[in-house]
Amino acid sequence: MSVTVIGGGVMGLCIATELNARGIPAAILDKAPGPQACSWWAGGMLAPWCEGESAEPAVVRHGLGAADWWRDQGVPVTRNGTLVVSPARDTGALARFARRSQGHRMLDAQGIAALEPDLGARFDRALFFDSEAHLAPREALAILSERLARTQAATGQVIDCRGLSARDALCDLRGVRGEMVVIRCPEIALSRPVRLLHPRMPLYVVPRGDGVFMLGATMLESDRRGPPTTRAVLELLSAAFALHPAFAEAEVLELGADARPAFPDNLPRIRRVGGVIHANGLYRHGFLLAPAVARMVADHLQHQTRPEFMDADHD
């Protein structure tokens, strides 16, 4: 058996990597490689317990193995956990987040300062998800891509991982727009992702090293894939200022936006349409769920299993 995977985003790269690891030759066909892929703008947080606050239980269950899968591919994974904070005037948000999620412990100001000294004087309480991790998405994509063969034509079993572009075959696929900002602020040091439960603009801040941080991300029901709006950028930067005033002096390095592919329940799908296998709908869980979907696709091809995320055939 040979396989052609169409699409070089995180879904396509993970599937091709998993198939090759199992001895099934898989090549990538990508008409628009590089930063056009939605995965290029991802945060890279491997945070299943945090996502469980609003996501279906399947996201937590299948996301728990993501950090190990990425590590096994030789991708650097930082396992420093996730810190969740809220403004003092909105402590109820932190309590709600705690009730709706698992895998955390409550910290006081002293505990926060022990983990993130720059935040200890700014927040009285926080949730710490100590088993969570993060990675640098662009580095991870490059590592997988370098090992995979490329092809100019689809042959053998075709697996379609085109993201939102696959709406020509998946009529129930929709776009959820996300916008992000990359800044440099050497005055602040963070060693793990921090989520701020801001009342207007919930924010996550992901450290990239050398004083660089990614701020993200909006969640808009839109398939528009153009540059970010002024409003989105202002709200993200305002929320970062609420996390720490030193962010007001940060340099803006990059602005980005794209539309995440999602199905109505925000869970991924594996679906056969006309003999083509489609793997799509990662929503905001790209790097978290792509490894699990890749395993499911590989199991299906090897053993004819029908995994949890697999729909009935649409031939």
Side-chain angles (χ1 to χ4, degrees), residues 3 5 14-26 159 294 297-298 301:
V3 175
V5 179
C14 285
I15 288 176
T17 296
E18 182 70 21
L19 291 174
N20 281 318
R22 300 190 188 197
I24 301 174
I159 301 177
V297 170
L301 289 179

Side-chain angles (χ1 to χ4, degrees), residues 168-234:
D168 56 359
L170 305 173
C171 61
D172 52 344
L173 197 65
R174 78 186 200 281
V176 180
R177 181 174 166 84
E179 294 147 309
M180 49 77 74
V181 181
V182 178
I183 61 174
R184 179 184 290 116
C185 188
E187 293 78 15
I188 297 177
L190 297 176
S191 58
R192 55 187 50 79
V194 176
R195 298 189 182 216
L196 174 67
L197 306 180
H198 193 276
R200 293 193 314 276
M201 173 59 72
L203 173 80
Y204 59 76
V205 179
V206 186
R208 297 292 193 225
D210 298 322
V212 176
F213 302 90
M214 179 202 169
L215 313 179
T218 59
M219 298 284 292
L220 303 174
E221 290 291 331
S222 170
D223 59 4
R224 190 170 74 83
R225 309 184 80 166
T229 63
T230 301
R231 174 183 292 182
V233 173
L234 287 173

Side-chain angles (χ1 to χ4, degrees), residues 60-73:
V60 178
R61 186 169 65 254
H62 292 294
L64 288 173
D68 288 342
W69 189 92
W70 286 107
R71 177 207 60 200
D72 291 345
Q73 312 314 314

Side-chain angles (χ1 to χ4, degrees), residues 209-294:
D210 298 322
V212 176
F213 302 90
M214 179 202 169
L215 313 179
T218 59
M219 298 284 292
L220 303 174
E221 290 291 331
S222 170
D223 59 4
R224 190 170 74 83
R225 309 184 80 166
T229 63
T230 301
R231 174 183 292 182
V233 173
L234 287 173
E235 289 181 340
L236 288 170
L237 293 175
S238 296
F241 179 81
L243 182 67
H244 199 292
F247 279 126
E249 302 302 321
E251 304 170 35
V252 176
L253 302 181
E254 188 176 358
L255 305 175
D258 209 332
R260 311 171 182 94
F263 289 103
D265 60 0
N266 296 329
L267 290 176
R269 294 286 191 281
I270 302 166
R271 182 181 295 171
R272 280 187 176 269
V273 181
V276 174
I277 297 175
H278 291 261
N280 213 318
L282 289 174
Y283 184 48
R284 56 179 285 170
H285 310 303
F287 285 79
L288 182 65
L289 288 186
V293 176

